Amino acid sequence: MLGRAALRGALAGLAGTAAMTLAEQVEQSVTHRPDSYVPARTLTALTTRRRLPGSERPPVRNHLMHWGTGALVGALRGVWSASGLRGWRASAWHTSVRLATDQTLENATGVGAPPWTWSRRDQVVDLGGKAVYSFVTGAVADRLVPLAPDRTPSGSAPPRRR
């Protein structure tokens, strides 16, 4: 049951990643912010234990990390949906999980910098992108993943025992 929920959640995570990517492309067309290669640098550091110089821009690794993280964190959202953690509240909490996942990996590998050192614009862009990801992922997961038979939707009273 939970394995199937995780798989469907991973698919939802890919849908959320697609939405986040589209939102970022729209934002970049307005702000002229360049592409970030932090995901590629993070994946390289995780898999090889070496850090790429800032001038390297490996697009394949960037996409692998970007889409892979989306699917992995989406799997968790699928399990949440099956467990009764559904709706906008679950998606709001999921936003913080996505942010924490990225920040943990980026900072543990020495690739990233803590968000409080970023510009206000970069903080807003990152939070906005991750929120788009999480709310789309949540909407798709809640639709694809059935509630486990022994669960009730979040916000509902549990069944009464007699």
Side-chain angles (χ1 to χ4, degrees):
M1 174 80 191
L2 291 182
R4 183 172 290 146
L7 181 60
R8 290 178 180 179
L11 293 173
L14 293 174
T17 302
M20 177 175 64
T21 302
L22 180 61
E24 288 171 344
Q25 289 174 344
V26 169
E27 171 266 320
Q28 286 177 301
S29 72
V30 172
T31 65
H32 305 291
R33 183 178 60 84
D35 288 339
S36 169
Y37 287 87
V38 170
R41 291 186 192 104
T42 302
L43 181 59
T44 300
L46 286 169
T47 57
T48 68
R49 296 188 181 181
R50 68 179 180 89
R51 289 179 47 195
L52 293 175
S55 59
E56 283 201 43
R57 300 182 186 318
V60 172
R61 278 181 262 172
N62 218 40
H63 284 288
L64 284 172
M65 186 66 172
H66 181 68
W67 294 90
T69 303
L72 184 66
V73 179
L76 174 65
R77 185 61 174 82
V79 171
W80 284 11
S81 292
S83 301
L85 299 169
R86 296 173 157 263
W88 70 268
R89 286 183 183 97
S91 294
W93 282 104
H94 192 250
T95 301
S96 61
V97 170
R98 176 60 200 253
L99 287 163
T101 300
D102 287 357
Q103 284 304 304
T104 300
L105 294 174
E106 292 167 10
N107 286 283
T109 58
V111 171
W116 54 85
T117 66
W118 303 355
S119 70
R120 170 93 50 207
R121 182 185 90 167
D122 287 345
Q123 291 175 7
V124 168
V125 165
D126 195 52
L127 177 61
K130 299 311 188 300
V132 167
Y133 162 81
S134 291
F135 278 83
V136 170
T137 299
V140 174
D142 288 349
R143 186 150 177 90
L144 291 179
V145 178
L147 191 62
D150 63 337
R151 299 294 173 171
T152 60
S154 52
S156 300
R160 298 180 110 192
R161 300 219 168 144
R162 294 180 190 202

